[in-house]
Amino acid sequence: MSPGITLRPFLPGDYPEARALWEATPGVGLSAADEHAPILAFLARNPGLSLVALHDGRIVGTILVGHDGRRGFIHHLATGADHRRTGIARALVDAAIAGLRGEGIGKCHLMVFEMNREGRAFWHSIGATFRDDLVLYSIPVE
Ligand SMILES: CC(C)(COP(=O)(O)OP(=O)(O)OC[C@H]1O[C@@H](n2cnc3c(N)ncnc32)[C@H](O)[C@@H]1OP(=O)(O)O)[C@@H](O)C(=O)NCCC(=O)NCCS
């Protein structure tokens, strides 16, 4: 990772800046679950696991990380367009996995839009396993 980039836990006050990054980042899917209150609830349920990358005090990368006691989940991995290919996402994922390991979690999952070629290239490059034996189903519960 480039000098001048630091990682730290994602704090509740980071939401507006992180949200702006997500909105500017094709490949990050946003829904009602990404409004302020649900994201703060996610952070509170998974203390210290989600991270931001900072450059000159500005958020240039994010990763949301949680688990359900059994498996970990990664959401909203994003690096600002001006900071890509400098190792930020790799560093965020390494730190995320270390955090999950520290909580006794043995595997984590993530979802990528099928058409997201750069996202898929990233996950492939860091050794994530592509699961062609699974499909995703969703059920609304509201
Ligand atoms: C995918 C994404 C997070 C990668 O962030 P990044 O900080 O640029 O990634 P890194 O610099 O850590 O890249 C690590 C390696 O991943 C691979 N990689 C990253 N981006 C790539 C791309 N666009 N095409 C091909 N390979 C890529 C490379 O092997 C790279 O190593 P290298 O630069 O030494 O060749 C970033 O492009 C992004 O925010 N995309 C939009 C959001 C998204 O798709 N998120 C992932 C879906 S959950």
Side-chain angles (χ1 to χ4, degrees):
M1 194 169 59
S2 301
I5 305 286
T6 54
L7 306 189
R8 67 155 170 75
F10 191 131
L11 304 174
D14 293 328
Y15 177 80
E17 214 180 329
R19 172 84 194 205
L21 173 61
W22 300 337
E23 288 181 359
T25 304
V28 174
L30 295 174
S31 71
D34 300 297
E35 297 301 325
H36 187 247
I39 292 294
L40 263 54
F42 181 88
L43 297 174
R45 275 180 64 95
N46 301 281
L49 290 180
S50 298
L51 301 160
V52 294
L54 298 173
H55 180 255
D56 286 342
R58 305 293 301 172
I59 291 176
V60 296
T62 63
I63 189 167
L64 292 181
V65 188
H67 68 83
D68 56 15
R70 179 174 173 276
R71 293 301 190 210
F73 295 91
I74 288 175
H75 312 272
H76 295 3
L77 175 68
T79 298
D82 295 342
H83 294 273
R84 291 191 184 162
R85 304 304 288 265
T86 64
I88 291 174
R90 183 188 294 273
L92 286 167
V93 171
D94 286 349
I97 289 171
L100 289 169
R101 187 181 299 119
E103 303 228 353
I105 300 298
K107 186 185 282 187
C108 74
H109 301 300
L110 56 108
M111 294 178 285
V112 185
F113 288 113
E114 186 177 21
M115 302 292 285
N116 183 352
R117 294 177 61 180
E118 64 183 4
R120 293 177 66 161
F122 169 79
W123 289 113
H124 179 77
S125 82
I126 67 155
T129 303
F130 174 67
R131 299 292 299 263
D132 61 1
D133 57 335
L134 293 173
V135 293
L136 180 69
Y137 289 80
S138 303
I139 302 174
V141 295
E142 289 127 329

